Short mmCIF file of all heavy atoms in Angstrom, two decimals:
data_model
loop_
_atom_site.label_atom_id
_atom_site.label_comp_id
_atom_site.label_asym_id
_atom_site.label_seq_id
_atom_site.Cartn_x
_atom_site.Cartn_y
_atom_site.Cartn_z
N PHE A 515 -1.98 22.01 -14.89
CA PHE A 515 -1.85 22.64 -16.20
C PHE A 515 -1.33 24.08 -16.12
O PHE A 515 -1.00 24.68 -17.14
CB PHE A 515 -3.19 22.63 -16.94
CG PHE A 515 -3.72 21.25 -17.18
CD1 PHE A 515 -4.90 20.82 -16.59
CD2 PHE A 515 -3.02 20.35 -17.97
CE1 PHE A 515 -5.38 19.54 -16.80
CE2 PHE A 515 -3.49 19.06 -18.19
CZ PHE A 515 -4.68 18.66 -17.60
N ASP A 516 -1.27 24.61 -14.90
CA ASP A 516 -0.80 26.00 -14.75
C ASP A 516 -0.34 26.19 -13.30
O ASP A 516 -0.92 26.96 -12.55
CB ASP A 516 -1.94 26.96 -15.09
CG ASP A 516 -1.44 28.37 -15.38
OD1 ASP A 516 -0.21 28.59 -15.39
OD2 ASP A 516 -2.30 29.26 -15.58
N PRO A 517 0.72 25.49 -12.91
CA PRO A 517 1.04 25.35 -11.48
C PRO A 517 1.55 26.61 -10.80
O PRO A 517 1.50 26.69 -9.57
CB PRO A 517 2.11 24.26 -11.47
CG PRO A 517 2.74 24.33 -12.82
CD PRO A 517 1.64 24.70 -13.75
N HIS A 518 2.04 27.58 -11.54
CA HIS A 518 2.69 28.73 -10.90
C HIS A 518 1.94 30.04 -11.12
O HIS A 518 2.46 31.11 -10.79
CB HIS A 518 4.13 28.85 -11.39
CG HIS A 518 4.91 27.57 -11.25
ND1 HIS A 518 5.09 26.94 -10.03
CD2 HIS A 518 5.51 26.77 -12.18
CE1 HIS A 518 5.78 25.82 -10.21
NE2 HIS A 518 6.05 25.70 -11.50
N ASN A 519 0.75 29.97 -11.66
CA ASN A 519 -0.04 31.17 -11.94
C ASN A 519 -0.52 31.77 -10.62
O ASN A 519 -1.16 31.10 -9.82
CB ASN A 519 -1.24 30.79 -12.81
CG ASN A 519 -1.96 31.98 -13.39
OD1 ASN A 519 -1.91 33.08 -12.84
ND2 ASN A 519 -2.63 31.77 -14.52
N GLN A 520 -0.21 33.03 -10.39
CA GLN A 520 -0.66 33.71 -9.17
C GLN A 520 -1.70 34.79 -9.43
O GLN A 520 -2.20 35.43 -8.50
CB GLN A 520 0.53 34.29 -8.41
CG GLN A 520 1.35 33.24 -7.65
CD GLN A 520 0.49 32.44 -6.68
OE1 GLN A 520 0.01 32.95 -5.66
NE2 GLN A 520 0.26 31.16 -6.99
N SER A 521 -2.05 34.97 -10.70
CA SER A 521 -3.08 35.96 -11.03
C SER A 521 -4.43 35.29 -11.29
O SER A 521 -5.47 35.96 -11.32
CB SER A 521 -2.68 36.78 -12.26
OG SER A 521 -2.52 35.93 -13.39
N ALA A 522 -4.43 33.98 -11.48
CA ALA A 522 -5.67 33.24 -11.68
C ALA A 522 -5.46 31.82 -11.19
O ALA A 522 -4.33 31.34 -11.09
CB ALA A 522 -6.07 33.24 -13.17
N ILE A 523 -6.57 31.13 -10.91
CA ILE A 523 -6.47 29.77 -10.42
C ILE A 523 -5.80 28.88 -11.45
O ILE A 523 -5.06 27.96 -11.11
CB ILE A 523 -7.86 29.23 -10.01
CG1 ILE A 523 -7.73 27.88 -9.31
CG2 ILE A 523 -8.82 29.17 -11.18
CD1 ILE A 523 -9.02 27.40 -8.63
N PHE A 524 -6.04 29.15 -12.72
CA PHE A 524 -5.34 28.51 -13.83
C PHE A 524 -5.78 29.18 -15.13
O PHE A 524 -6.78 29.92 -15.16
CB PHE A 524 -5.61 26.99 -13.90
CG PHE A 524 -7.06 26.58 -13.77
CD1 PHE A 524 -7.96 26.79 -14.80
CD2 PHE A 524 -7.52 25.96 -12.61
CE1 PHE A 524 -9.29 26.41 -14.69
CE2 PHE A 524 -8.85 25.57 -12.48
CZ PHE A 524 -9.74 25.81 -13.53
N ASN A 525 -5.02 28.94 -16.17
CA ASN A 525 -5.36 29.46 -17.50
C ASN A 525 -6.51 28.63 -18.06
O ASN A 525 -6.35 27.45 -18.36
CB ASN A 525 -4.13 29.37 -18.41
CG ASN A 525 -4.37 29.97 -19.79
OD1 ASN A 525 -5.38 29.71 -20.43
ND2 ASN A 525 -3.42 30.77 -20.24
N LYS A 526 -7.67 29.25 -18.22
CA LYS A 526 -8.86 28.51 -18.64
C LYS A 526 -8.69 27.88 -20.02
O LYS A 526 -9.16 26.77 -20.28
CB LYS A 526 -10.08 29.45 -18.65
CG LYS A 526 -10.51 29.93 -17.28
CD LYS A 526 -11.81 30.70 -17.34
CE LYS A 526 -11.65 32.03 -18.07
NZ LYS A 526 -12.90 32.83 -18.03
N ASP A 527 -8.00 28.59 -20.91
CA ASP A 527 -7.84 28.08 -22.27
C ASP A 527 -7.00 26.81 -22.29
O ASP A 527 -7.31 25.85 -23.02
CB ASP A 527 -7.22 29.14 -23.17
CG ASP A 527 -8.14 30.34 -23.37
OD1 ASP A 527 -9.37 30.15 -23.25
OD2 ASP A 527 -7.64 31.45 -23.63
N ILE A 528 -5.94 26.79 -21.49
CA ILE A 528 -5.09 25.60 -21.43
C ILE A 528 -5.86 24.43 -20.84
O ILE A 528 -5.82 23.30 -21.35
CB ILE A 528 -3.82 25.86 -20.59
CG1 ILE A 528 -2.91 26.88 -21.29
CG2 ILE A 528 -3.06 24.56 -20.33
CD1 ILE A 528 -2.28 26.37 -22.55
N VAL A 529 -6.58 24.68 -19.76
CA VAL A 529 -7.34 23.62 -19.11
C VAL A 529 -8.42 23.08 -20.04
O VAL A 529 -8.63 21.86 -20.14
CB VAL A 529 -7.94 24.11 -17.77
CG1 VAL A 529 -8.96 23.11 -17.24
CG2 VAL A 529 -6.84 24.33 -16.75
N LYS A 530 -9.11 23.97 -20.73
CA LYS A 530 -10.17 23.52 -21.63
C LYS A 530 -9.61 22.73 -22.81
O LYS A 530 -10.31 21.89 -23.38
CB LYS A 530 -10.98 24.72 -22.11
CG LYS A 530 -11.86 25.32 -21.01
CD LYS A 530 -12.59 26.57 -21.46
CE LYS A 530 -13.43 27.14 -20.32
NZ LYS A 530 -14.17 28.36 -20.71
N LYS A 531 -8.36 22.98 -23.16
CA LYS A 531 -7.70 22.21 -24.22
C LYS A 531 -7.37 20.80 -23.73
O LYS A 531 -7.48 19.83 -24.49
CB LYS A 531 -6.42 22.94 -24.65
CG LYS A 531 -5.47 22.14 -25.56
CD LYS A 531 -4.20 22.94 -25.82
CE LYS A 531 -3.11 22.10 -26.44
NZ LYS A 531 -3.41 21.69 -27.82
N TRP A 532 -7.01 20.67 -22.45
CA TRP A 532 -6.51 19.39 -21.93
C TRP A 532 -7.55 18.57 -21.19
O TRP A 532 -7.36 17.37 -20.99
CB TRP A 532 -5.30 19.64 -21.02
CG TRP A 532 -4.04 19.80 -21.80
CD1 TRP A 532 -3.57 20.92 -22.43
CD2 TRP A 532 -3.06 18.78 -22.04
NE1 TRP A 532 -2.38 20.67 -23.05
CE2 TRP A 532 -2.03 19.35 -22.82
CE3 TRP A 532 -2.94 17.44 -21.67
CZ2 TRP A 532 -0.91 18.64 -23.24
CZ3 TRP A 532 -1.83 16.72 -22.08
CH2 TRP A 532 -0.83 17.31 -22.86
N GLU A 533 -8.62 19.19 -20.70
CA GLU A 533 -9.62 18.41 -19.96
C GLU A 533 -10.39 17.48 -20.91
O GLU A 533 -10.46 17.75 -22.11
CB GLU A 533 -10.59 19.35 -19.23
CG GLU A 533 -11.45 20.16 -20.19
CD GLU A 533 -12.51 20.99 -19.49
OE1 GLU A 533 -12.87 20.71 -18.35
OE2 GLU A 533 -12.99 21.93 -20.14
N PRO A 534 -10.95 16.38 -20.39
CA PRO A 534 -10.80 15.87 -19.03
C PRO A 534 -9.51 15.08 -18.88
O PRO A 534 -8.81 14.84 -19.86
CB PRO A 534 -12.01 14.95 -18.89
CG PRO A 534 -12.20 14.39 -20.28
CD PRO A 534 -11.84 15.53 -21.20
N ILE A 535 -9.21 14.67 -17.65
CA ILE A 535 -8.07 13.78 -17.42
C ILE A 535 -8.37 12.46 -18.12
O ILE A 535 -9.40 11.84 -17.88
CB ILE A 535 -7.85 13.54 -15.91
CG1 ILE A 535 -7.70 14.88 -15.16
CG2 ILE A 535 -6.66 12.63 -15.67
CD1 ILE A 535 -6.57 15.75 -15.65
N ASP A 536 -7.47 12.04 -19.01
CA ASP A 536 -7.76 10.85 -19.83
C ASP A 536 -7.72 9.57 -19.03
O ASP A 536 -8.54 8.67 -19.26
CB ASP A 536 -6.74 10.78 -20.98
CG ASP A 536 -6.88 11.94 -21.93
OD1 ASP A 536 -7.83 11.95 -22.73
OD2 ASP A 536 -6.05 12.87 -21.85
N PHE A 537 -6.78 9.47 -18.09
CA PHE A 537 -6.65 8.24 -17.30
C PHE A 537 -6.28 8.60 -15.87
O PHE A 537 -5.38 9.39 -15.63
CB PHE A 537 -5.57 7.32 -17.89
CG PHE A 537 -5.36 6.06 -17.11
CD1 PHE A 537 -6.17 4.95 -17.34
CD2 PHE A 537 -4.37 5.96 -16.13
CE1 PHE A 537 -5.99 3.78 -16.61
CE2 PHE A 537 -4.19 4.80 -15.40
CZ PHE A 537 -5.01 3.70 -15.64
N TYR A 538 -7.01 8.00 -14.93
CA TYR A 538 -6.79 8.28 -13.50
C TYR A 538 -6.92 6.95 -12.78
O TYR A 538 -7.76 6.11 -13.12
CB TYR A 538 -7.87 9.25 -13.02
CG TYR A 538 -7.63 9.89 -11.67
CD1 TYR A 538 -6.38 10.36 -11.29
CD2 TYR A 538 -8.70 10.08 -10.78
CE1 TYR A 538 -6.19 10.98 -10.06
CE2 TYR A 538 -8.51 10.71 -9.56
CZ TYR A 538 -7.26 11.15 -9.20
OH TYR A 538 -7.06 11.77 -7.99
N ASN A 539 -6.07 6.74 -11.79
CA ASN A 539 -6.17 5.48 -11.04
C ASN A 539 -5.79 5.69 -9.59
O ASN A 539 -5.14 6.67 -9.22
CB ASN A 539 -5.27 4.40 -11.66
CG ASN A 539 -3.79 4.61 -11.38
OD1 ASN A 539 -3.17 5.51 -11.95
ND2 ASN A 539 -3.21 3.80 -10.51
N GLY A 540 -6.19 4.73 -8.77
CA GLY A 540 -5.86 4.74 -7.36
C GLY A 540 -6.44 3.53 -6.69
O GLY A 540 -7.29 2.83 -7.25
N ALA A 541 -5.98 3.27 -5.46
CA ALA A 541 -6.44 2.10 -4.71
C ALA A 541 -7.20 2.49 -3.44
O ALA A 541 -7.61 1.62 -2.69
CB ALA A 541 -5.25 1.21 -4.35
N ASP A 542 -7.37 3.77 -3.21
CA ASP A 542 -8.08 4.27 -2.03
C ASP A 542 -8.92 5.48 -2.42
O ASP A 542 -8.85 5.98 -3.54
CB ASP A 542 -7.10 4.67 -0.92
CG ASP A 542 -6.34 3.48 -0.34
OD1 ASP A 542 -6.99 2.62 0.28
OD2 ASP A 542 -5.11 3.42 -0.51
N HIS A 543 -9.72 5.96 -1.47
CA HIS A 543 -10.47 7.21 -1.62
C HIS A 543 -11.35 7.22 -2.87
O HIS A 543 -11.54 8.26 -3.49
CB HIS A 543 -9.51 8.41 -1.67
CG HIS A 543 -8.50 8.42 -0.59
ND1 HIS A 543 -8.83 8.50 0.76
CD2 HIS A 543 -7.14 8.33 -0.62
CE1 HIS A 543 -7.73 8.47 1.48
NE2 HIS A 543 -6.70 8.35 0.68
N ALA A 544 -11.88 6.06 -3.22
CA ALA A 544 -12.62 5.96 -4.48
C ALA A 544 -14.03 6.55 -4.39
O ALA A 544 -14.66 6.74 -5.41
CB ALA A 544 -12.71 4.50 -4.92
N THR A 545 -14.50 6.83 -3.19
CA THR A 545 -15.86 7.37 -3.08
C THR A 545 -15.84 8.87 -2.81
O THR A 545 -16.21 9.66 -3.68
CB THR A 545 -16.64 6.64 -1.97
OG1 THR A 545 -16.63 5.23 -2.24
CG2 THR A 545 -18.08 7.12 -1.94
N ALA A 546 -15.39 9.26 -1.63
CA ALA A 546 -15.48 10.67 -1.25
C ALA A 546 -14.66 11.57 -2.17
O ALA A 546 -15.17 12.56 -2.71
CB ALA A 546 -15.04 10.84 0.19
N HIS A 547 -13.38 11.26 -2.35
CA HIS A 547 -12.52 12.12 -3.18
C HIS A 547 -13.09 12.30 -4.58
O HIS A 547 -13.16 13.41 -5.10
CB HIS A 547 -11.12 11.53 -3.26
CG HIS A 547 -10.32 12.00 -4.43
ND1 HIS A 547 -10.02 13.35 -4.64
CD2 HIS A 547 -9.77 11.34 -5.47
CE1 HIS A 547 -9.31 13.47 -5.75
NE2 HIS A 547 -9.16 12.27 -6.28
N LEU A 548 -13.50 11.20 -5.20
CA LEU A 548 -14.01 11.29 -6.58
C LEU A 548 -15.32 12.06 -6.63
O LEU A 548 -15.57 12.82 -7.58
CB LEU A 548 -14.18 9.89 -7.16
CG LEU A 548 -12.88 9.13 -7.43
CD1 LEU A 548 -13.17 7.69 -7.83
CD2 LEU A 548 -12.07 9.82 -8.52
N LEU A 549 -16.16 11.87 -5.64
CA LEU A 549 -17.43 12.59 -5.62
C LEU A 549 -17.19 14.09 -5.45
O LEU A 549 -17.81 14.92 -6.13
CB LEU A 549 -18.31 12.06 -4.48
CG LEU A 549 -19.80 12.41 -4.56
CD1 LEU A 549 -20.43 11.76 -5.76
CD2 LEU A 549 -20.50 11.95 -3.29
N TYR A 550 -16.27 14.44 -4.55
CA TYR A 550 -15.97 15.85 -4.34
C TYR A 550 -15.33 16.48 -5.58
O TYR A 550 -15.62 17.63 -5.94
CB TYR A 550 -15.05 16.01 -3.13
CG TYR A 550 -15.66 15.57 -1.82
CD1 TYR A 550 -14.85 15.06 -0.79
CD2 TYR A 550 -17.02 15.66 -1.59
CE1 TYR A 550 -15.41 14.64 0.42
CE2 TYR A 550 -17.58 15.24 -0.38
CZ TYR A 550 -16.78 14.74 0.61
OH TYR A 550 -17.33 14.34 1.80
N ALA A 551 -14.46 15.73 -6.26
CA ALA A 551 -13.84 16.24 -7.48
C ALA A 551 -14.89 16.47 -8.56
O ALA A 551 -14.84 17.46 -9.31
CB ALA A 551 -12.76 15.27 -7.96
N ARG A 552 -15.85 15.57 -8.66
CA ARG A 552 -16.92 15.72 -9.64
C ARG A 552 -17.79 16.93 -9.30
O ARG A 552 -18.24 17.66 -10.19
CB ARG A 552 -17.78 14.46 -9.69
CG ARG A 552 -17.05 13.21 -10.17
CD ARG A 552 -17.96 11.99 -10.11
NE ARG A 552 -19.04 12.09 -11.06
CZ ARG A 552 -20.19 11.43 -10.96
NH1 ARG A 552 -20.41 10.63 -9.92
NH2 ARG A 552 -21.13 11.57 -11.88
N PHE A 553 -18.02 17.14 -8.02
CA PHE A 553 -18.80 18.30 -7.57
C PHE A 553 -18.08 19.60 -7.92
O PHE A 553 -18.69 20.53 -8.48
CB PHE A 553 -19.03 18.17 -6.06
CG PHE A 553 -19.44 19.44 -5.37
CD1 PHE A 553 -20.57 20.13 -5.75
CD2 PHE A 553 -18.69 19.93 -4.30
CE1 PHE A 553 -20.96 21.31 -5.09
CE2 PHE A 553 -19.06 21.09 -3.64
CZ PHE A 553 -20.19 21.78 -4.04
N ILE A 554 -16.79 19.67 -7.60
CA ILE A 554 -16.03 20.89 -7.89
C ILE A 554 -15.99 21.15 -9.40
O ILE A 554 -16.11 22.30 -9.84
CB ILE A 554 -14.61 20.78 -7.32
CG1 ILE A 554 -14.65 20.81 -5.78
CG2 ILE A 554 -13.71 21.88 -7.85
CD1 ILE A 554 -15.17 22.11 -5.18
N ALA A 555 -15.83 20.09 -10.20
CA ALA A 555 -15.82 20.26 -11.65
C ALA A 555 -17.14 20.86 -12.13
O ALA A 555 -17.15 21.75 -13.01
CB ALA A 555 -15.57 18.92 -12.33
N ARG A 556 -18.23 20.41 -11.56
CA ARG A 556 -19.54 20.96 -11.97
C ARG A 556 -19.68 22.41 -11.53
O ARG A 556 -20.24 23.23 -12.27
CB ARG A 556 -20.67 20.10 -11.38
CG ARG A 556 -20.93 18.89 -12.22
CD ARG A 556 -21.82 17.86 -11.55
NE ARG A 556 -22.24 16.90 -12.54
CZ ARG A 556 -21.45 15.95 -13.06
NH1 ARG A 556 -20.20 15.84 -12.62
NH2 ARG A 556 -21.90 15.12 -13.98
N PHE A 557 -19.18 22.71 -10.35
CA PHE A 557 -19.22 24.11 -9.91
C PHE A 557 -18.35 24.96 -10.84
O PHE A 557 -18.74 26.07 -11.22
CB PHE A 557 -18.73 24.21 -8.47
CG PHE A 557 -18.68 25.62 -7.95
CD1 PHE A 557 -19.84 26.34 -7.72
CD2 PHE A 557 -17.46 26.23 -7.69
CE1 PHE A 557 -19.79 27.64 -7.24
CE2 PHE A 557 -17.40 27.53 -7.21
CZ PHE A 557 -18.56 28.24 -6.99
N PHE A 558 -17.20 24.44 -11.21
CA PHE A 558 -16.32 25.19 -12.13
C PHE A 558 -16.98 25.42 -13.49
O PHE A 558 -16.77 26.45 -14.13
CB PHE A 558 -15.00 24.43 -12.33
CG PHE A 558 -14.00 24.63 -11.22
CD1 PHE A 558 -14.28 25.40 -10.10
CD2 PHE A 558 -12.75 24.03 -11.28
CE1 PHE A 558 -13.36 25.58 -9.07
CE2 PHE A 558 -11.81 24.20 -10.27
CZ PHE A 558 -12.12 24.97 -9.16
N THR A 559 -17.77 24.45 -13.96
CA THR A 559 -18.47 24.68 -15.23
C THR A 559 -19.49 25.80 -15.09
O THR A 559 -19.69 26.60 -16.02
CB THR A 559 -19.19 23.41 -15.73
OG1 THR A 559 -20.18 22.99 -14.78
CG2 THR A 559 -18.21 22.28 -15.97
N LYS A 560 -20.11 25.87 -13.92
CA LYS A 560 -21.13 26.90 -13.70
C LYS A 560 -20.53 28.30 -13.71
O LYS A 560 -21.18 29.27 -14.14
CB LYS A 560 -21.84 26.65 -12.36
CG LYS A 560 -22.64 25.37 -12.28
CD LYS A 560 -23.87 25.40 -13.17
CE LYS A 560 -24.83 24.27 -12.85
NZ LYS A 560 -24.31 22.92 -13.01
N ILE A 561 -19.28 28.42 -13.25
CA ILE A 561 -18.66 29.75 -13.21
C ILE A 561 -17.71 29.97 -14.39
O ILE A 561 -16.95 30.93 -14.41
CB ILE A 561 -17.94 30.00 -11.86
CG1 ILE A 561 -16.80 29.02 -11.63
CG2 ILE A 561 -18.95 29.94 -10.72
CD1 ILE A 561 -16.02 29.30 -10.34
N GLY A 562 -17.74 29.06 -15.36
CA GLY A 562 -17.04 29.27 -16.62
C GLY A 562 -15.57 28.91 -16.66
O GLY A 562 -14.88 29.25 -17.62
N LEU A 563 -15.09 28.21 -15.64
CA LEU A 563 -13.66 27.87 -15.63
C LEU A 563 -13.32 26.68 -16.51
O LEU A 563 -12.22 26.60 -17.06
CB LEU A 563 -13.21 27.58 -14.19
CG LEU A 563 -13.13 28.76 -13.23
CD1 LEU A 563 -12.73 28.29 -11.84
CD2 LEU A 563 -12.13 29.80 -13.73
N VAL A 564 -14.23 25.72 -16.60
CA VAL A 564 -13.98 24.51 -17.39
C VAL A 564 -15.23 24.22 -18.23
O VAL A 564 -16.32 24.76 -17.98
CB VAL A 564 -13.64 23.30 -16.51
CG1 VAL A 564 -12.42 23.59 -15.64
CG2 VAL A 564 -14.82 22.87 -15.65
N ASN A 565 -15.06 23.34 -19.19
CA ASN A 565 -16.19 22.94 -20.04
C ASN A 565 -16.77 21.59 -19.64
O ASN A 565 -17.96 21.35 -19.84
CB ASN A 565 -15.76 22.86 -21.51
CG ASN A 565 -15.53 24.23 -22.12
OD1 ASN A 565 -16.11 25.22 -21.67
ND2 ASN A 565 -14.69 24.29 -23.14
N GLU A 566 -15.91 20.71 -19.13
CA GLU A 566 -16.32 19.33 -18.87
C GLU A 566 -16.79 19.15 -17.42
O GLU A 566 -16.02 19.37 -16.50
CB GLU A 566 -15.16 18.37 -19.15
CG GLU A 566 -14.69 18.36 -20.59
CD GLU A 566 -15.70 17.74 -21.53
OE1 GLU A 566 -16.56 16.96 -21.06
OE2 GLU A 566 -15.63 18.04 -22.74
N PRO A 567 -18.04 18.72 -17.22
CA PRO A 567 -18.51 18.50 -15.84
C PRO A 567 -17.90 17.27 -15.19
O PRO A 567 -17.93 17.15 -13.97
CB PRO A 567 -20.02 18.35 -16.01
CG PRO A 567 -20.20 17.86 -17.42
CD PRO A 567 -19.10 18.49 -18.21
#
Side-chain angles (χ1 to χ4, degrees):
F515 299 116
D516 198 4
H518 307 302
N519 192 334
Q520 284 304 291
S521 61
I523 188 169
F524 47 73
N525 184 313
K526 293 187 292 184
D527 294 334
I528 293 291
V529 168
K530 289 176 181 180
K531 169 184 167 69
W532 278 82
E533 66 174 340
I535 305 302
D536 296 285
F537 178 84
Y538 193 42
N539 75 287
D542 293 295
H543 312 297
T545 304
H547 158 60
L548 291 173
L549 197 65
Y550 296 150
R552 296 177 67 202
F553 163 57
I554 291 296
R556 277 168 167 74
F557 178 69
F558 280 1
T559 61
K560 295 291 193 300
I561 62 176
L563 289 177
V564 303
N565 288 335
E566 298 290 338

